[in-house]
Amino acid sequence: MEHVSQEVRGKTLSRVERNAVVQAVSVVAMRCRIERTTARLRTRVSIRRQRELLQHVTATPDCVSMSESIIQLCAAMSSGVIPRATPRWWMRKRTGGTWEDLRKMDDASDEYYKEKLRMSPRVFMEIVEALSPLPQRRVTFYRVPLQPDHTIAYALYRWASGETYESSTSSFEIGRASGLIAVEDVTRALLTVYSDKIIWPTGMRCTLVLRAFEAKGFPNCYGCIDCTHVYVHKQANAPSENYFDRKHRFSVAAQVVVDLDLRITDVFVGYPGSCHDIRVLQLSSLWARAEEGDLFRGAPVVLPFGVRTHGYILGDNRYPPLEWIVVPYGGTDQIPDEERFDNKQKVVRGVVERAFGRLKGMWRLFLCTHKMNMDTHPQQLQAVCILHNILLDAGIEFDENLLWEVDANGVRWRVDLGLDRPPHPIAENFNRPRALALHEVLAERMKHASTARGSAVLVEVVLGSSSNRGVLCYVAVAGVCRALGCCVRSLRVVITR
């Protein structure tokens, strides 16, 4: 009997071992409770209670090693090193929606991408590849984070559709907070990676821009400047009268400079809509660079009557006539030379309105009145201007139907681009002698160019023998006529023996 009792006693746990097992189970239960809480303060309090619970455990090596191993196992499960068999029951699985349709690559994917994201799949993948290292999110215990292509697609869709966060996020099956973070991350990434997409023309690009404007009658011209208004809701955290513009709407002013290819070379946005265009210009970096002589660094061009210009841009009557801003004459009673100059300058400056139409037509969030955080609004508009230049480089065509809308009565009307045309020129206290001289020289040059195109002469050349001198004579006479302001209409060669 004593032998049997000793054998049974040898197969059972001692009191110390049983206490150790009980305490280990208690540790596991306590650890599970800790992992279910999300607040750090509660977690720390639970850990402190756990340590107090373990103080009375018998300090045996086996018990300590067993408890530590169980704790490490629970910690590994909670941190995600050991994946769970099933996800948490309160987390809803994403179904995709518009994003799932974008991921399907079929025959209609190109048109669908252009409708939803305003670009082709190839351009979208190039942007995703360039921006992927930046909008990364760490893996958490609750859900796999959104992938970079998902967040980039949502930001593009939000800007292109102009929908609210509530509507656009439901199309992508993400939360509103996730949509806000995605737009901010993509905006920051675009400004970082594609910072060279909006730069003042230099090098070969500058040569092409200058040649294009010279062909239009404006030598050494670098672009056209204008302002547009982006309409927003009434700001709750800012004086409302500051954002109340002359059209009696709340808006933010945006100043851009574009070339004849509709490329944006400078953008400045963020000031309230009540600011005059001159004030916005004076507050921009464009004004500081031009006044310091850092904007136009090319060789000066000598125009007729000895007028020199290092470069200039074209503006409307809302801007002052400066050495580097050429504005129209304005007014109603104009002489033919002034009317000719104003019409030519208006036609060339129409490139700004076309650029605004393409910019706001593609990214309709900035076309309609919307709620906007003023801390991130300027950065988002700059990011959209970067996308504008990217799509121009990629050759993406613009659908003019995006600039037209149909109301409930079936009436088709053109959308408002936020352009404010002044009825009269501004005060003359900005006039400078060099600015007026440049203005008059360009008008005079345009007058002679028009006269040269309208005049022709009949040239008769008498040669003493039959030879190829007729062609050479024609070239020489045509050059002289162009210098005199006329052109050769015909050349008659008389050969005598």
Side-chain angles (χ1 to χ4, degrees):
M1 292 295 295
E2 294 179 358
H3 177 71
V4 174
S5 60
Q6 292 178 358
E7 183 178 359
V8 173
R9 192 179 300 112
K11 295 182 178 179
T12 59
L13 299 176
S14 63
R15 179 178 299 176
V16 176
E17 293 175 346
R18 288 196 297 271
N19 289 338
V21 172
V22 171
Q23 296 302 328
V25 173
S26 301
V27 169
V28 174
M30 184 62 66
R31 188 64 182 181
C32 293
R33 292 181 181 178
I34 294 174
E35 293 302 329
R36 291 193 184 99
T37 60
T38 57
R40 291 185 177 181
L41 180 60
R42 293 182 179 180
T43 303
R44 293 176 180 176
V45 173
S46 300
I47 293 175
R48 189 178 295 111
R49 291 178 180 177
Q50 173 190 356
R51 292 177 179 176
E52 294 176 356
L53 181 63
L54 294 177
Q55 287 180 356
H56 66 278
V57 179
T58 305
T60 57
D62 295 338
C63 178
V64 173
S65 60
M66 183 184 300
S67 301
E68 290 295 334
S69 61
I70 294 176
I71 292 174
Q72 292 177 4
L73 177 62
C74 295
M77 293 178 61
S78 63
S79 62
V81 176
I82 301 178
R84 290 175 173 268
T86 57
R88 290 181 179 270
W89 62 271
W90 63 82
M91 304 304 293
R92 185 180 62 180
K93 185 178 179 181
R94 299 188 180 101
T95 58
T98 304
W99 172 238
E100 289 297 330
D101 295 336
L102 290 171
R103 293 177 62 182
K104 295 179 181 180
M105 302 300 294
D106 51 13
D107 296 338
S109 61
D110 289 352
E111 295 299 328
Y112 192 75
Y113 263 82
K114 291 181 180 180
E115 177 186 355
K116 300 297 182 181
L117 306 183
R118 303 292 189 252
M119 62 186 64
S120 62
R122 179 185 60 82
V123 178
F124 173 72
M125 294 308 300
E126 291 177 357
I127 295 177
V128 170
E129 183 178 357
L131 303 185
S132 291
L134 295 181
Q136 292 284 355
R137 290 290 174 180
R138 64 183 182 88
V139 179
T140 62
F141 180 57
Y142 301 100
R143 172 183 285 176
V144 178
L146 297 175
Q147 297 301 312
D149 54 350
H150 197 164
T151 58
I152 295 172
Y154 169 73
L156 297 178
Y157 178 79
R158 156 79 174 164
W159 291 330
S161 64
E163 297 179 359
T164 61
Y165 278 107
E166 290 77 7
S167 177
S168 57
T169 52
S170 63
S171 300
F172 276 70
E173 292 296 331
I174 61 177
R176 187 178 185 275
S178 299
L180 288 167
I181 297 174
V183 171
E184 294 179 0
D185 291 345
V186 175
T187 300
R188 194 180 305 110
L190 283 171
L191 295 178
T192 302
V193 177
Y194 292 102
S195 59
D196 59 339
K197 283 297 180 180
I198 300 180
I199 58 174
W200 197 252
T202 57
M204 183 57 67
R205 182 64 193 172
C206 179
T207 303
L208 296 176
V209 171
L210 295 180
R211 288 180 179 177
F213 277 103
E214 186 175 6
K216 297 293 183 178
F218 295 93
N220 214 27
C221 180
Y222 280 75
C224 302
I225 186 173
D226 205 346
C227 268
T228 183
H229 289 259
V230 181
Y231 300 113
V232 297
H233 282 284
K234 181 179 179 180
Q235 299 297 311
N237 56 350
S240 302
E241 60 272 10
N242 293 347
Y243 294 89
F244 202 64
D245 57 17
R246 288 191 293 178
K247 291 187 177 180
H248 307 292
R249 300 176 66 178
F250 296 98
S251 64
V252 176
Q255 172 189 284
V256 300
V257 179
V258 301
D259 57 19
L260 290 179
D261 294 331
L262 305 184
R263 286 182 59 87
I264 297 177
T265 58
D266 186 83
V267 58
F268 180 73
V269 60
Y271 278 86
S274 61
C275 291
H276 195 276
D277 291 354
I278 299 178
R279 183 58 178 165
V280 176
L281 175 64
Q282 292 175 341
L283 294 173
S284 64
S285 60
L286 189 71
W287 176 277
R289 293 167 58 192
E291 293 297 320
E292 294 174 0
D294 295 335
L295 191 61
F296 308 103
R297 296 184 176 182
V301 175
V302 180
L303 298 176
F305 307 105
V307 177
R308 296 165 59 92
T309 174
H310 290 271
Y312 57 90
I313 56 180
L314 303 179
D316 57 15
N317 290 125
R318 286 177 293 181
Y319 293 98
L322 301 174
E323 302 175 15
W324 53 280
I325 297 182
V326 176
V327 300
Y329 286 97
T332 54
D333 298 331
Q334 292 182 334
I335 61 177
D337 294 344
E338 294 179 351
E339 185 178 0
R340 182 188 304 108
F341 178 84
D342 285 3
N343 291 337
K344 188 70 174 180
Q345 201 254 14
K346 181 179 179 181
V347 170
V348 176
R349 194 167 34 84
V351 69
V352 185
E353 184 174 354
R354 295 196 300 273
F356 283 142
R358 179 185 175 97
L359 178 68
K360 290 188 174 184
M362 280 193 166
W363 313 107
R364 299 181 66 84
L365 177 66
F366 304 93
L367 183 62
C368 55
T369 304
H370 59 282
K371 294 182 179 179
M372 180 60 66
N373 182 6
M374 298 310 302
D375 296 333
T376 61
H377 180 267
Q379 290 79 12
Q380 291 191 36
L381 186 56
Q382 291 177 8
V384 168
C385 292
I386 290 175
L387 293 172
H388 172 85
N389 289 347
I390 292 176
L391 297 185
L392 284 176
D393 295 338
I396 302 298
E397 298 293 335
F398 174 63
D399 187 6
E400 294 290 340
N401 292 325
L402 294 174
L403 295 178
W404 294 85
E405 292 183 352
V406 180
D407 57 12
N409 299 325
V411 179
R412 193 168 182 258
W413 55 280
R414 188 177 175 88
V415 297
D416 181 16
L417 296 179
L419 301 176
D420 187 13
R421 301 301 182 191
H424 303 289
I426 62 173
E428 295 295 330
N429 56 350
F430 284 95
N431 289 347
R432 301 179 181 180
R434 292 185 179 180
L436 296 179
L438 176 61
H439 195 279
E440 295 295 334
V441 166
L442 291 175
E444 189 71 17
R445 184 179 182 275
M446 197 171 296
K447 171 185 176 181
H448 288 298
S450 177
T451 305
R453 285 193 299 269
S455 61
V457 296
L458 177 62
V459 179
E460 182 175 351
V461 180
V462 180
L463 298 179
S465 61
S466 176
S467 64
N468 294 328
R469 297 179 184 177
V471 178
L472 299 178
C473 185
Y474 176 82
V475 174
V477 173
V480 174
C481 291
R482 282 196 299 270
L484 295 176
C486 57
C487 61
V488 178
R489 184 183 64 188
S490 62
L491 176 65
R492 179 182 178 186
V493 180
V494 179
I495 303 174
T496 61
R497 298 186 180 274

